[in-house]
Amino acid sequence: MSPLDLLMQEHNLIAKLTTIIKKKLPTIKEKKANACLIQKLIDFFVTYGDKTHHGKEEDILFREVGQKDLSDELRTILAELLEEHVQAREKLKKLEEANTEYSNGDELAYEKIIRVLEDLVIFYPEHINKENNHFFKQAMEYFSDLELETMTKEFAEFDRSVIHEKYKAVVSAIGS
Ligand SMILES: [Fe+2]
Ligand SMILES: [Fe+2]
């Protein structure tokens, strides 16, 4: 599978969850969701959306394409995408903090959770749309077949490392 196909496949899953959240938001607002469901959403967006997906984009694709002689337009979009990843991490940090407060009995923190979810269901589709339609295909044209093949292998190694990092962190958290 090409690096482009792999990233698009991940976009599809992120977009699928975003659509589900969007549909469920009125119910989530009305009847409070349990902290466990919110924790699952956090886990998905942090481990899959950020560490696995944004991780491969930043540490491999963006790093490599950044070394090419990009058009001004593509270089501007690259900077915007990196900035959006920073924003995504800030939103997730807010979600984690609000869920911790909510789990600790602060009922008012639920409003903060809702606000971040409302924000995320707008943010992700826009970010994905920008990458799918204005960046990825154009960026891939700067690479040779061999470079793309190397990138696919690097992606696989990156994915493998994420799962090990994740569970090492889980064990340390349990042990602390
Ligand atoms: Fe991205
Ligand atoms: Fe992406």
Side-chain angles (χ1 to χ4, degrees):
M1 207 180 267
S2 74
L4 177 67
D5 290 339
L6 287 164
L7 292 175
M8 299 277 259
Q9 212 174 56
E10 292 175 2
H11 279 178
N12 289 343
L13 193 62
I14 296 167
K16 187 174 178 182
L17 182 63
T18 310
T19 307
I20 293 171
I21 296 172
K22 212 174 189 171
K23 268 196 209 141
K24 286 183 182 258
L25 256 178
T27 323
I28 296 177
K29 267 188 204 170
E30 215 176 277
K31 295 187 246 157
K32 290 193 172 174
N34 56 42
C36 185
L37 169 70
I38 307 300
Q39 194 52 47
K40 279 184 189 161
L41 298 181
I42 293 170
D43 182 58
F44 178 89
F45 286 123
V46 170
T47 306
Y48 189 82
D50 189 48
K51 292 201 164 49
T52 308
H53 180 72
H54 288 170
K56 285 201 291 300
E57 288 176 345
E58 286 185 12
D59 292 6
I60 303 172
L61 173 63
F62 293 178
R63 178 199 70 201
E64 292 299 319
V65 84
Q67 291 168 21
K68 303 282 182 185
D69 187 17
L70 294 181
S71 66
D72 289 348
E73 193 195 349
L74 222 55
R75 198 161 286 282
T76 303
I77 298 176
L78 176 59
E80 287 171 10
L81 294 173
L82 282 165
E83 173 54 31
E84 287 169 20
H85 287 186
V86 172
Q87 290 168 13
R89 286 182 194 118
E90 284 166 4
K91 294 175 201 302
L92 293 176
K93 195 164 169 264
K94 272 191 207 163
L95 187 60
E96 282 188 281
E97 284 168 359
N99 199 40
T100 303
E101 289 165 16
Y102 180 54
S103 311
N104 290 337
D106 179 357
E107 290 288 317
L108 295 175
Y110 198 72
E111 271 308 306
K112 292 187 199 167
I113 293 174
I114 297 294
R115 276 201 297 276
V116 183
L117 291 179
E118 284 172 338
D119 190 7
L120 288 177
V121 298
I122 295 170
F123 170 84
Y124 280 111
E126 285 179 356
H127 181 72
I128 286 173
N129 178 51
K130 191 184 278 187
E131 289 180 338
N132 284 359
N133 299 311
H134 304 280
F135 188 77
F136 279 177
K137 286 189 191 97
Q138 294 84 335
M140 293 305 171
E141 286 178 7
Y142 287 83
F143 297 106
S144 66
D145 288 349
L146 182 62
E147 285 173 315
L148 291 174
E149 219 176 282
T150 306
M151 206 183 289
T152 299
K153 286 182 190 151
E154 226 185 315
F155 273 19
E157 184 50 37
F158 189 95
D159 284 348
R160 199 192 72 83
S161 70
V162 171
I163 191 88
H164 292 285
E165 286 305 315
K166 152 111 185 159
Y167 285 100
K168 271 187 213 162
V170 167
V171 172
S172 320
I174 295 169
S176 65

